[in-house]
Amino acid sequence: MATQQQQSWPLAHASPQRVAQLRAECRQLVRRRALLSAGVAALPVPGLDVLSDLHLFTRLIDDINQTFGLTPAQIAGLQPEYRMLAYEAAMGVGGMLVGKLITRDLLLPLLQRSGVKLLARQAGKLVPLAGQLASAGIGFAVFRHIGNQHVEACAAVAQQLVTAGAGRPSA
């Protein structure tokens, strides 16, 4: 039974090169979503960008976790020693969102850490055109920064699991 659960981990037979490839693909995903966030931020509707960012970021984190095999369900399918390794590795790299079910309550403190940028972004909406462009630029930078931090954390955890042989049948 444990062997069958182990084999369900998506990176069970992955190489370090595959983890690097997934990292690059996820960074591209972050960039595309950050551009979408910037587009919404350019709209002159205060508050719309924050709601949009919460939705986009929640989906982004879930997609990245899924790609690296680090959703709560995927981690639960690992053998106990690999499960512990995944959580220890996530804590070691500061991956607050690795292997977690993403909720608004979890995201708000993360976004609040970028509070000055968000405040500047909202204030920029009061100045026509230049403020909207500044708001979009700030939104893109913040979204991309937080997204890429998560990609790096997930890649580091996945790399440790792949190196340790997680998901492979035991001999």
Side-chain angles (χ1 to χ4, degrees), residues 88-100:
E88 287 173 356
M91 294 303 289
V93 296
M96 177 175 113
L97 303 175
V98 175
K100 300 273 175 67

Side-chain angles (χ1 to χ4, degrees), residues 32-100:
R32 285 193 305 269
R33 299 264 175 97
L35 284 170
L36 185 56
S37 170
V40 173
L43 298 174
V45 180
L48 178 64
D49 53 346
V50 174
L51 292 174
S52 172
D53 281 355
L54 280 174
H55 176 72
L56 286 171
F57 201 70
T58 299
R59 289 186 51 214
L60 176 71
I61 297 300
D62 288 341
D63 290 346
I64 293 169
N65 283 346
Q66 179 77 34
T67 298
F68 283 105
L70 297 172
T71 65
Q74 290 168 319
I75 292 174
L78 293 172
Q79 283 188 346
E81 64 268 18
Y82 294 121
R83 215 175 306 148
M84 184 60 79
L85 176 64
Y87 288 123
E88 287 173 356
M91 294 303 289
V93 296
M96 177 175 113
L97 303 175
V98 175
K100 300 273 175 67

